Amino acid sequence: LARAAAPHADESGDDGLRKFAVATASTSGQVILWGAPEDTTDLRPRVLLLGHTAPVVWLSCCIFERSDAIVSVCGRGFANVWDPMDGRCLSSASDAILGGARATAAAMLPQLTHAVVGGECLRLCVVELNCMSVSVELAPVRADPGLQAPADC
């Protein structure tokens, strides 16, 4: 399981939940948003997000159009950005980030608007989350002969 928490102002929503979100992701491709009623610390599932067709390999908090959001990347290399309060999909990558290679890891850059995605090929892609485009691709200039990249890289 992966998890991310997006803190918000201490306000109560219409559903009586504090304005924060905890998200978990599964190998079945689902992301679940959790919340707790104000008078307890017990988390309960609030929203089931269906937007991936492969296991979710990474989940993090991000900034999307100047608001808190959650970003997920599945093993097929597709990314989605979610609203942490109501679960709406705010943006979705139309193409696989790594061009067909399996995504295995990602990291958020400090400004929280770009993510670096890597996987089963010898390159890293920096993705601008607001437009879901690869802004920079990092690849070795000269690959080590001992490293074998998959054929689809």
Side-chain angles (χ1 to χ4, degrees):
L1 288 182
R3 61 184 175 272
H8 290 268
D10 191 23
E11 301 170 10
S12 179
D14 293 336
D15 57 3
L17 299 174
R18 286 182 292 245
K19 290 290 186 181
F20 74 93
V22 173
T24 58
S26 72
T27 57
S28 62
Q30 302 169 342
V31 175
I32 301 173
L33 296 181
W34 301 76
E38 245 185 83
D39 58 346
T40 181
T41 57
D42 295 336
L43 289 175
R44 67 175 192 216
R46 290 190 307 115
V47 182
L48 176 65
L49 309 175
L50 303 172
H52 291 294
T53 58
V56 175
V57 297
W58 182 69
L59 185 66
S60 182
C61 296
C62 67
I63 302 294
F64 183 81
E65 296 178 355
R66 296 181 299 257
S67 296
D68 290 337
I70 295 171
V71 59
S72 57
V73 174
C74 75
R76 290 184 56 219
F78 290 90
N80 289 330
V81 176
W82 311 92
D83 183 295
M85 290 297 103
D86 62 16
R88 285 178 298 129
C89 184
L90 302 172
S91 184
S92 186
S94 57
D95 296 317
I97 295 166
L98 297 174
R102 179 170 159 66
T104 58
M108 199 56 135
L109 293 180
Q111 72 273 26
L112 301 178
T113 58
H114 292 72
V116 179
V117 180
E120 293 180 344
C121 61
L122 298 176
R123 68 177 186 259
L124 297 173
C125 292
V126 178
V127 180
E128 185 177 346
L129 298 174
N130 281 335
C131 59
M132 284 295 181
S133 66
V134 174
S135 56
V136 176
E137 186 173 314
L138 305 169
V141 175
R142 183 179 47 187
D144 182 335
L147 295 176
Q148 295 296 320
D152 60 353
C153 284

